[in-house]
């Protein structure tokens, strides 16, 4: 199967510090591919390079057969890549519906800078908003101020906004951090459902969720890949247990 996203021998230097050393990865379409590792392993730096926030010191990133190493985030969005971040990125004072509408409206170039205009003349836009609210289970909270949502619901809202662009690949950076048990279960099922229409690349510290929903897992330590395989294969590897000694949970 042809990989939808590849990193080829990616290295990243910050002065004298080497954050990544020859990181390579091949992510298959319509899968959940988790990147795990102890704190300081280089996961976020690697994510930032894959998604275009950072440029590597050397190596290449290839998306759907096209080298995108030097492309900024906004150009990658138009190619079909999208990303959520560790810190929730929503409009706290707007309603849930308004947040999703703005995400959908931003995709229409002629409308992206005219937010003061009502969207009523674009029924397709409102249909897409309703579709995203139903899919994420937020329809009953659509008139709620986003800042008043639970932390889990805010992360769900951010996912709704991130997938508004109908990406073929989405990066999720610790989407379950700080969630209650009930929110974790709902979000886990939502993430699992994403792969029906896109590829999911995931950083997450909740190992029980990672093992449950991932098709493939890459393990990092000290800026390098130390293991890769199915959840069953990763569970059995001594190198993974050693890297996580005292660090996983």
């Amino acid at each position: 199967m042809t990989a939808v996203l590849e990193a080829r021998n990616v290295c990243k230097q910050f002065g004298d510090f080497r954050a990544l050393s020859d990181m390579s990865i091949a992510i298959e379409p319509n899968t959940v591919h988790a990147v795990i590792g102890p704190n300081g392993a280089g996961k976020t730096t690697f994510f930032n390079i894959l998604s275009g926030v950072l440029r590597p010191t050397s190596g290449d990133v290839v998306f759907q057969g096209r080298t995108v190493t030097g492309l900024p985030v906004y150009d990658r969005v138009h190619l079909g890549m999208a990303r959520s971040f560790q810190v929730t990125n929503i409009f706290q004072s707007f309603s849930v519906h308004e947040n999703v509408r703005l995400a959908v409206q931003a995709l229409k170039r002629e409308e992206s800078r005219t937010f003061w205009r009502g969207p009523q003349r674009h029924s397709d836009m409102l249909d897409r908003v309703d579709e995203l609210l139903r899919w994420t289970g937020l329809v009953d909270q659509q008139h709620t101020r986003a800042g008043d949502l639970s932390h889990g619901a805010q992360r769900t809202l951010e996912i709704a906004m991130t997938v508004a662009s109908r990406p073929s690949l989405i990066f999720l950076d610790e989407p379950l951090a700080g969630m209650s048990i009930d929110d974790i279960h709902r979000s886990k099922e939502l993430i699992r459902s994403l792969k029906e229409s896109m590829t999911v690349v995931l950083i997450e510290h909740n190992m029980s969720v990672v093992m449950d929903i991932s098709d493939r897992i890459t393990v990092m330590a000290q800026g390098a890949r130390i293991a890769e395989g199915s959840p069953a294969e990763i569970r059995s590897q001594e190198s993974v247990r050693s890297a996580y000694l005292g660090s996983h949970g």
Side-chain angles (χ1 to χ4, degrees):
M1 185 180 294
T2 302
V4 66
L5 180 71
E6 291 182 81
R8 299 173 179 171
N9 304 114
V10 166
C11 298
K12 183 62 180 178
Q13 287 285 143
F14 293 101
D16 293 331
F17 174 65
R18 174 162 284 200
L20 296 176
S21 301
D22 292 320
M23 273 298 301
S24 295
I25 198 171
I27 298 170
E28 296 183 353
N30 298 102
T31 60
V32 176
H33 193 128
V35 179
I36 66 172
N39 291 333
K43 303 183 300 295
T44 298
T45 299
F46 190 44
F47 245 46
N48 285 339
I49 288 172
L50 292 177
S51 59
V53 176
L54 291 175
R55 291 191 66 167
T57 304
S58 61
D60 283 308
V61 177
V62 179
F63 178 59
Q64 295 180 333
R66 171 178 175 174
T67 299
V68 295
T69 311
L71 285 182
V73 173
Y74 54 84
D75 283 335
R76 297 187 193 208
V77 169
H78 291 296
L79 293 178
M81 300 170 70
R83 175 174 175 175
S84 73
F85 290 82
Q86 287 176 307
V87 178
T88 305
N89 188 21
I90 60 176
F91 298 101
Q92 298 275 337
S93 62
F94 290 3
S95 72
V96 170
H97 188 281
E98 288 170 332
N99 269 272
V100 178
R101 177 177 66 80
L102 289 176
V104 173
Q105 189 170 337
L107 300 173
K108 292 183 176 291
R109 298 192 179 214
E110 73 278 9
E111 294 292 324
S112 60
R113 298 177 183 175
T114 55
F115 291 128
W116 61 86
R117 294 182 186 172
Q120 289 77 10
R121 60 195 180 95
H122 293 293
S123 60
D124 58 331
M125 186 188 303
L126 294 178
D127 288 344
R128 177 61 174 158
V129 173
D130 290 342
E131 176 188 355
L132 289 166
L133 291 171
R134 288 194 300 271
W135 170 67
T136 53
L138 291 171
V139 66
D140 291 338
Q141 297 172 286
Q142 63 179 304
H143 300 302
T144 301
R145 181 180 172 273
D148 294 334
L149 295 175
S150 70
H151 177 69
Q154 288 187 16
R155 296 311 300 255
T156 299
L157 172 58
E158 185 182 28
I159 290 175
M161 295 170 68
T162 304
V163 303
S165 61
R166 302 184 190 271
S168 54
L169 183 145
I170 183 173
F171 297 97
L172 300 178
D173 193 351
E174 296 191 33
L176 307 181
M179 286 192 183
S180 67
I181 293 175
D182 288 342
D183 283 336
I184 285 174
H185 177 73
R186 284 191 292 269
S187 297
K188 179 182 75 172
E189 295 306 314
L190 177 62
I191 293 168
R192 197 200 307 269
S193 73
L194 288 172
K195 70 176 185 178
E196 295 175 8
S197 57
M198 66 192 73
T199 302
V200 180
V201 188
L202 172 73
I203 290 178
E204 181 53 54
H205 285 289
N206 188 317
M207 287 299 100
S208 63
V209 172
V210 167
M211 293 296 174
D212 188 25
I213 68 174
S214 300
D215 298 292
R216 196 161 183 84
I217 300 171
T218 297
V219 186
M220 294 181 63
Q222 298 181 332
R225 184 180 68 180
I226 62 168
E228 187 170 280
S230 68
E233 290 169 335
I234 293 301
R235 280 193 191 97
S236 67
Q237 295 198 31
E238 177 60 33
S239 60
V240 177
R241 290 195 292 270
S242 297
Y244 268 98
L245 187 61
S247 300
H248 68 294

